Amino acid sequence: MQSSRARSSVKDDKDGHLVYWPGYVMGARYKIIDTLGEGTFGKVVEVKDLEMEHRMALKIIKNVEKYREAAKLEINVLEKLADVDPDCKNLCVKMLDWFEYHGHMCIAFEMLGQSVFDFLKDNNYQPYPLEQVRHISYQLIYSVLFLHDNKLTHTDLKPENILFVDSDYEVVSVYNGSKKVSSDKHDLRRVKRSDVRLIDFGSATFDHEHHSTIVSTRHYRAPEVILELGWSQPCDVWSIGCIMFELYLGITLFQTHDNREHLAMMERILGPIPYRMARKTRTKYFYHGKLDWDEKSSAGRYVRENCKPLLRYLQSNSEEARQLFELIARMLEYEPSQRITLREALKHPFFNKLPPHQRLGNDRPRCNGESSGSRERSHSLSR
């Protein structure tokens, strides 16, 4: 009797995570089935809604003030997106419910598959086929353009925040002529459907809101963010360029944890950082407008040996691969004002071969410019 009484009281662990177990019922409604993932913010669990009889993903935020406040901001963004796009035609994850449970903010979402990152990792970092790179990239651009049109910047775009709707896969054996390249153990997984949804709006920022100095996960962080020159929607475009490279090659473009080294990698891959940006930054990474970087140091050797000019990463001479890299290069323009916009990116020749059934909403988000009514709704989003 005593153990069941102890179990019935709500407890947190030392980090602020809710202590739960399979079968634990929250608020007499949500029965926890399994843990799906964990992050700095808390945990994501699979639950069964006992009222509606369906399964959902429930994000249980740590019982910590700063994460609780961040969750409230995310809920605010998700509610406003739902006002403008109730049917989720713009591919942002659908929030089904939210509530507070003993100090934990909880957000319920539709159940989705693996992230494009986890699928890549489980596939031994074998890259996606080019037609899937095209489809995933197109959907990502389309979805983030919807945010941009509604005065939002996502600020944390990365492969972990792009989820397959369904990550079922088939196993493909790879052959090279008559000789098999991979053993059975390393047969490749190929996702059957490359439909995706964008998740994690915890850092999404409206144009009129305070802009944190540093945003984005390191590897996808734009130069203007590192140089503390201020940022807006173009920083998302930079992140998408990095993601498209990773989908195509299976490797991270900027594999580093240090600002100066990150800038040195950019210069090795993309050429020198513009003098205007070097002169304007108040950071201490430049000397007389040039990156203060010792190429003969061990870090210098590491960058030289592990990075090369962007076009040298091309895996084939096909027109499609060249188009992909031309688009990536346009997304990785140093100057935010020179970077391609997502509306322009959707019209890039790389997407010409996208089959008609994969195209969305006449190739443009539906929220702005269709009628005065829809314009008013999208403008009200940022109020």
Side-chain angles (χ1 to χ4, degrees):
M1 282 296 292
Q2 193 176 355
S3 65
S4 68
R5 259 206 319 275
R7 274 195 142 194
S8 68
S9 61
V10 176
K11 288 196 179 73
D12 296 337
D13 68 14
K14 62 180 173 49
D15 296 319
H17 290 289
L18 177 70
V19 175
Y20 61 83
W21 49 89
Y24 185 107
V25 179
M26 300 175 69
R29 178 167 179 183
Y30 295 114
K31 181 179 179 182
I32 296 178
I33 311 294
D34 197 7
T35 303
L36 297 172
E38 183 175 336
T40 52
F41 61 86
K43 296 185 181 181
V44 179
V45 297
E46 181 181 350
V47 297
K48 183 177 182 183
D49 181 345
L50 299 175
E51 279 184 24
M52 308 290 285
E53 286 295 315
H54 64 243
R55 297 193 173 205
M56 305 185 302
L58 187 69
K59 190 171 175 177
I60 306 174
I61 307 298
K62 282 182 192 170
N63 190 355
V64 175
E65 184 61 23
K66 69 172 178 177
Y67 295 120
R68 203 164 29 243
E69 290 309 309
K72 288 174 184 173
L73 293 173
E74 178 170 19
I75 290 163
N76 177 53
V77 170
L78 288 163
E79 285 188 328
K80 288 179 173 175
L81 292 177
D83 284 346
V84 177
D85 183 16
D87 300 322
C88 296
K89 288 191 161 67
N90 291 284
L91 313 185
C92 298
V93 67
K94 188 178 184 68
M95 178 173 70
L96 302 173
D97 189 16
W98 68 269
F99 56 92
E100 191 162 355
Y101 181 77
H102 299 274
H104 298 270
M105 296 302 298
C106 300
I107 313 175
F109 296 101
E110 59 185 325
M111 277 290 287
L112 296 166
Q114 273 191 305
S115 72
V116 299
F117 174 77
D118 285 333
F119 191 92
L120 188 69
K121 185 174 71 172
D122 290 350
N123 204 20
N124 292 312
Y125 296 97
Q126 292 296 318
Y128 290 93
L130 189 63
E131 65 270 19
Q132 291 189 341
V133 174
R134 181 186 285 115
H135 187 214
I136 295 166
S137 302
Y138 172 83
Q139 294 171 89
L140 176 60
I141 291 168
Y142 186 92
S143 188
V144 178
L145 175 55
F146 165 66
L147 303 182
H148 290 187
D149 278 349
N150 285 289
K151 304 188 186 323
L152 265 172
T153 308
H154 186 284
T155 80
D156 197 18
L157 297 172
K158 54 185 174 180
E160 291 91 330
N161 286 340
I162 308 161
L163 267 52
F164 286 115
V165 173
D166 179 350
S167 45
D168 274 359
Y169 60 87
E170 54 199 3
V171 176
V172 183
S173 296
V174 181
Y175 292 88
N176 185 3
S178 60
K179 187 182 170 197
K180 195 171 177 184
V181 172
S182 58
S183 69
D184 288 342
K185 213 162 68 175
H186 292 106
D187 280 346
L188 302 185
R189 295 177 178 185
R190 186 178 165 119
V191 71
K192 290 178 182 175
R193 284 180 53 212
S194 46
D195 303 70
V196 295
R197 294 290 181 270
L198 182 60
I199 68 159
D200 197 349
F201 295 86
S203 307
T205 305
F206 285 108
D207 290 356
H208 70 275
E209 291 178 322
H210 169 72
H211 282 39
S212 307
T213 305
I214 302 300
V215 292
S216 307
T217 298
R218 156 67 66 194
H219 309 317
Y220 310 96
R221 188 175 292 156
E224 66 269 23
V225 178
I226 297 171
L227 298 178
E228 299 180 13
L229 297 173
W231 54 266
S232 60
Q233 280 82 4
C235 79
D236 279 347
V237 179
W238 178 280
S239 302
I240 294 173
C242 297
I243 292 166
M244 288 169 65
F245 177 95
E246 198 165 325
L247 296 175
Y248 175 74
L249 278 147
I251 58 173
T252 310
L253 180 55
F254 299 110
Q255 186 62 56
T256 180
H257 297 284
D258 174 81
N259 280 342
R260 197 182 299 269
E261 184 175 79
H262 198 164
L263 295 167
M265 287 180 163
M266 288 180 185
E267 292 212 323
R268 174 90 171 128
I269 295 167
L270 303 168
I273 289 162
Y275 181 71
R276 184 203 73 86
M277 295 177 80
R279 192 171 48 83
K280 200 175 171 199
T281 182
R282 292 181 143 175
T283 60
K284 303 285 192 270
Y285 306 126
F286 293 86
Y287 184 70
H288 293 324
K290 279 203 162 49
L291 185 65
D292 187 10
W293 177 251
D294 180 4
E295 290 194 1
K296 295 185 175 66
S297 65
S298 59
R301 279 197 303 278
Y302 171 79
V303 168
R304 202 165 55 251
E305 288 165 10
N306 289 278
C307 301
K308 56 191 178 186
L310 184 64
L311 287 176
R312 283 177 48 196
Y313 287 98
L314 259 169
Q315 300 284 292
S316 105
N317 277 327
S318 75
E319 181 64 19
E320 295 168 84
R322 281 200 300 276
Q323 287 170 344
L324 168 62
F325 269 69
E326 201 273 332
L327 177 53
I328 291 172
R330 293 283 290 106
M331 293 179 151
L332 300 181
E333 289 277 0
Y334 285 119
E335 288 279 9
S337 61
Q338 302 295 309
R339 223 168 276 158
I340 194 170
T341 68
L342 296 184
R343 195 172 301 284
E344 292 164 344
L346 283 180
K347 298 186 176 83
H348 192 276
F350 176 61
F351 295 118
N352 287 354
K353 282 200 173 177
L354 195 74
H357 72 273
Q358 291 183 345
R359 294 186 176 276
L360 296 160
N362 299 325
D363 274 350
R364 60 188 174 80
R366 302 162 73 253
C367 62
N368 277 358
E370 288 188 350
S371 70
S372 59
S374 69
R375 264 204 303 278
E376 282 163 21
R377 287 192 76 187
S378 64
H379 288 163
S380 69
L381 184 62
S382 59
R383 282 191 191 127

